[in-house]
Amino acid sequence: MKKIICATVIILFTFSSAPAKAQIDMFDIDDLTKSIEGNDEEIIKPNSEDIKSTEINKHDDYISEYFDDMETAQKAQYDARVLLEQKPNVVSLRDSQKRLIKEGDDKRKQLLQEIQQSKDERKVEQITSDKEITLEEKNEILAQQIGEKYHSAPFGLFWGIDKQRAEQLGFIFQPAERKNYTNVYLVTNPKQKSDTFSVVTAIFGEQNKLWCIYAQSTPQKDTPQATNVIDLYNKYYKALAKKYGNAQQYFTPYTYTEEIMEDEEQKVKTVTHNGEIGNDNFLKELEEGMATLYATFENKELGITLGVSVDGDNKSYISIDYKNLKMMREEQQTKLNNLISDI
């Protein structure tokens, strides 16, 4: 009994001298209790220095764990603060990625358009390989595809088309000349329902884009009054006026003077005569340039000139000069730029 009392006193003394002992695990206390109850004869008296050392170590471990937990919490807070501070940079990076994605989409769209255009150009060849079609049918299919990109022009041509692509349509060109014009070619197979025009020239200019077409009818024998060419001129005047509008006719008559003697007063009177269209000498007046007759037509896109002429063999003909106004301005600007670059 004395042994039990002594052990109890020692345990109570240990708890009172070290309050931190409350942190001792319950597993150790249970083992100690069992040891006391099971072997009263062999009670091991604990050494106060050992107990104190154990208390200090466990107290230090508790403090260390506490500060470790504090450091972990502080580190988590610091990392969270850094992440919050980086948030604008993350947003900026996403905006940049969005721009890159948009640019990539634009490039892909452009590439798809180029691929589609290339497919369209090869489509005719694929069709001809699948089945036998005539050259005329092939040209019609290709013209339909090109017509989706270019505006149609007279004689089956297209405004703005280059010479090489026009040749793909089946047009045959021969080099020609026209004063103050560049890249002039004679179209040997223009499309026309009648054979009115024997000469058709396509002018591609400095930019290799069709911007001007000149057509001339077949010269024909005519009367002194130029009846045949006047009839042809009136026919195309009405048609062009209906299609393009803003018709303006310009006629410069042959003017001459005549002196007339007045019987009553025996005085000489000078009279000025202006020749009329279709007068008895009109064909000769046109041939010698004493009289001129032409008309202009214009809309927002095109400017057209219809003229009447007579060659050296007294054969008359009409001419039509088509100009794409927008491309004409581009051609003039290109010529000016080329001139400036040379000086």
Side-chain angles (χ1 to χ4, degrees), residues 158-190:
F158 293 89
W159 295 116
I161 195 173
D162 57 66
K163 176 176 175 290
Q164 291 73 20
R165 187 157 301 193
E167 289 175 333
Q168 292 179 357
L169 290 172
F171 289 102
I172 301 174
F173 300 103
Q174 292 181 357
E177 293 184 359
R178 188 179 179 185
K179 188 176 181 180
N180 298 326
Y181 289 82
T182 307
N183 288 333
V184 182
Y185 294 92
L186 176 67
V187 185
T188 62
N189 57 341

Side-chain angles (χ1 to χ4, degrees), residues 224-281:
Q225 296 81 15
T227 303
N228 296 334
V229 74
I230 291 175
D231 290 343
L232 189 61
Y233 166 84
N234 288 332
K235 174 183 176 181
Y236 277 88
Y237 179 94
K238 293 178 181 178
L240 292 169
K242 182 177 181 180
K243 184 173 183 178
Y244 300 102
N246 296 319
Q248 297 288 333
Q249 179 171 280
Y250 300 90
F251 171 57
T252 303
Y254 169 60
T255 302
Y256 63 95
T257 59
E258 182 182 8
E259 293 182 352
I260 300 177
M261 182 72 69
E262 295 182 354
D263 295 336
E264 296 180 358
E265 300 180 359
Q266 297 294 318
K267 292 182 179 179
V268 177
K269 183 179 180 180
T270 302
V271 179
T272 302
H273 296 277
N274 293 323
E276 297 179 354
I277 297 175
N279 66 76
D280 292 339
N281 202 35

Side-chain angles (χ1 to χ4, degrees), residues 279-317:
N279 66 76
D280 292 339
N281 202 35
F282 192 56
L283 185 68
K284 186 172 182 61
E285 293 174 357
L286 291 172
E287 178 186 359
E288 296 180 355
M290 295 183 294
T292 58
L293 175 64
Y294 68 95
T296 61
F297 314 85
E298 184 176 347
N299 58 20
K300 294 181 179 180
E301 297 179 356
L302 302 177
I304 303 100
T305 301
L306 170 66
V308 175
S309 301
V310 179
D311 63 15
D313 296 329
N314 289 327
K315 293 182 178 182
S316 61
Y317 60 91

